């Protein structure tokens, strides 16, 4: 995981972490929905299987190029992955960092 920038607020670091975790959840779910293993998606997206594992666990951020490759491998438009990630990140922030 990246070293926190001392100039970045805790709230911003929490937001970024929530997005990484949420994208990992969404990617794992989408991969399962189409019946792909991590290895299968890695091959289609031209990345390594450990990279898929790190993305799914939220320890690795995704570049825009990698987002497009993952979406293409899943057969899902990238904007769908992003929208689902936004929804899931909001749930995670509410539940993990700002519980009611």
């Amino acid at each position: 995981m990246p070293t926190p920038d001392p100039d970045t607020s805790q709230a911003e670091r929490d937001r970024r972490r929530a997005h990484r975790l949420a994208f990992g959840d969404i990617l794992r779910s989408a991969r399962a929905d189409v019946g792909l293993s991590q290895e299968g998606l890695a091959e289609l997206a031209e990345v390594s299987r450990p990279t898929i594992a790190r993305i799914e666990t939220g320890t690795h951020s995704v570049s825009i190029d990698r987002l497009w490759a993952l979406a293409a491998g899943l057969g899902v438009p990238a904007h769908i992955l992003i929208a689902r990630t936004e929804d899931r990140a909001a749930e995670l922030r509410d539940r993990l960092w700002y519980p009611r």
Side-chain angles (χ1 to χ4, degrees):
M1 188 162 330
T3 304
D5 180 348
D7 295 330
T8 304
S9 71
Q10 183 62 47
E12 178 62 17
R13 288 191 298 273
D14 288 348
R15 186 190 68 76
R16 290 177 185 176
R17 182 164 184 247
H19 277 108
R20 284 193 312 272
L21 291 170
F23 185 78
D25 286 351
I26 297 307
L27 185 67
R28 185 180 311 107
S29 177
R31 182 177 56 74
D33 287 348
V34 297
L36 285 173
S37 64
Q38 286 183 342
E39 186 69 39
L41 178 57
E43 187 175 313
L44 291 170
E46 300 179 350
V47 298
S48 69
R49 191 218 45 86
T51 295
I52 298 295
R54 286 191 301 271
I55 293 168
E56 288 185 354
T57 58
T59 59
H60 189 75
S61 294
V62 178
S63 70
I64 191 70
D65 293 334
R66 188 154 294 152
L67 172 65
W68 287 111
L70 292 167
L74 293 167
V76 175
H79 75 273
I80 298 295
L81 294 176
I82 293 169
R84 290 180 182 167
T85 297
E86 285 292 333
D87 293 343
R88 181 72 176 122
E91 293 171 10
L92 288 171
R93 282 192 306 270
D94 289 346
R95 187 174 49 121
L96 298 176
W97 289 286
Y98 306 106
R100 292 185 176 114

